[in-house]
Every structure is written in C-alpha cells, then in structure tokens.
Amino acid sequence: TMQQSAIGFDRVVCGAAISACEAAHEWQAALALLQTMDTAAVPPDTVACCAGISACEKGGQWERALSLFAGMHEKGLTP
C-alpha cells in the first residue's frame, strides 16, 4: 500500500497524487485518496481538498464538489 511504500504517506505526497488525478479527470481516485487521508490520520489540507473539488468539477460531479467544499469549512480550511 501507499502507506508502506518508501516514499511515505503525507500531505505533500497525497496532494500531488490528488492533483495528478485531477489532471487525468479521475475524480473517483481523487475522492478515494481524500478518504484514505482521513482514515490514515493525515488530514487533507487546502491544496488536496481544492484539487479534489476540481477533479469532481471536471468529472461533472458538482454535488460531490459542493460536499467537499462544505467539508473544508467544517475542518476550518479556507479555499
């Protein structure tokens, strides 16, 4: 798993991976990574959340994008 790999599992690595998912229009993978961050006690930062929102937008998933946006405010993150 990514957590056990040599590159580590932190916000920077996850943010880069989510941004790559955004660029590839892979919104499902972006959301999976955001969920993994939450369960792995590596809370998503603004960069990761915004990349996830953008990935959802590019995939036509506006309801999911709005949900992520609302979640940012709940976590005290500013877009």
Side-chain angles (χ1 to χ4, degrees):
T1 66
M2 190 173 190
Q3 292 170 326
Q4 298 167 343
S5 73
I7 61 171
F9 189 84
D10 62 18
R11 286 186 182 122
V12 174
V13 171
C14 289
I18 294 167
S19 292
C21 292
E22 170 198 359
H25 299 265
E26 293 289 338
W27 64 270
Q28 298 100 328
L31 292 181
L33 281 166
L34 284 168
Q35 184 176 16
T36 299
M37 288 178 78
D38 278 333
T39 59
V42 181
D45 60 6
T46 300
V47 173
C49 289
C50 287
I53 290 169
S54 183
C56 289
E57 179 268 326
K58 288 179 180 179
Q61 302 295 313
W62 63 270
E63 292 171 327
R64 293 177 195 265
L66 286 176
S67 177
L68 285 175
F69 183 75
M72 286 182 71
H73 289 286
E74 292 170 5
K75 294 176 183 176
L77 298 174
T78 304

